[in-house]
Amino acid sequence: MNTIFAQKLSELLAGLVVTALGIYVLVEAQGFPTLPGNDYGADLFPKIIGLVLTLGGAWVFANAIRPFLQAKLQRPATPLSNTLLFLFRLILPLLLIIAYLLFADVLGAILTLTLLVIILMLCNGVRWPLAIVLAAATSGVIWFAFVYMLKVPLPLGVLLG
């Protein structure tokens, strides 16, 4: 993640949190008693603090969101292919988990994990030979950790069992 983007995002969230906190203080200060015969009471300073928090948080939020809005106005729309690729990569882990649940009993945990890790690596740009070696090593380590260290039996499948 770009550090400037991360910084602006954290500023944006901080502005929202401080604004919400200021609004909360303002609402809670409404219930404080006032002194008889005076225009002010115990609620004066909490209201001032709440107002300062609300305005300051809104100012931080506005300054943090301005670059996002300017970039959105200057940037052309993303092509549909990029959006579809983004959505595919977003749901890929869920699809791989479902695939593991469907195929682990038939193929076995080791073979299923190896195939799923290969698919995941190829989708992220890793070359075939490296993907196969890393997937086999990863599957072996995961199988060893579950079966021998955690004592959780993983399915061997029809092919191996």
Side-chain angles (χ1 to χ4, degrees):
M1 180 181 284
N2 188 356
T3 56
I4 294 174
F5 174 75
Q7 180 182 1
K8 288 297 179 185
L9 184 62
S10 65
E11 288 177 9
L12 188 116
L13 293 175
L16 284 176
V17 169
V18 171
T19 303
L21 180 65
I23 291 171
Y24 174 76
V25 169
L26 282 173
V27 169
E28 287 297 316
Q30 297 296 324
F32 289 179
T34 57
L35 297 174
N38 289 332
D39 293 333
Y40 60 89
D43 63 342
L44 177 65
F45 288 113
K47 282 183 179 178
I48 292 172
I49 291 171
L51 183 64
V52 169
L53 284 172
T54 303
L55 293 176
W59 181 73
V60 170
F61 176 79
N63 281 335
I65 202 167
R66 188 176 345 129
F68 292 117
L69 296 176
Q70 289 173 346
K72 185 67 176 172
L73 293 175
Q74 294 173 355
R75 187 179 60 199
T78 57
L80 182 61
S81 60
N82 287 355
T83 305
L84 291 176
L85 181 63
F86 172 75
L87 290 175
F88 173 72
R89 287 186 173 180
L90 185 66
I91 64 169
L92 182 63
L94 178 65
L95 295 174
L96 293 176
I97 291 171
I98 293 170
Y100 178 81
L101 294 174
L102 292 175
F103 296 118
D105 289 334
V106 177
L107 299 175
I110 296 175
L111 185 58
T112 305
L113 282 172
T114 303
L115 292 174
L116 296 180
V117 172
I118 288 173
I119 291 169
L120 188 61
M121 288 189 177
L122 291 176
C123 287
N124 286 309
V126 178
R127 295 188 183 137
W128 273 99
L130 183 60
I132 292 171
V133 170
L134 288 176
T138 303
S139 300
V141 168
I142 290 172
W143 186 80
F144 178 80
F146 273 90
V147 172
Y148 289 109
M149 296 170 70
L150 298 174
K151 305 291 185 205
V152 175
L154 294 179
L156 294 174
V158 177
L159 300 176
L160 298 176

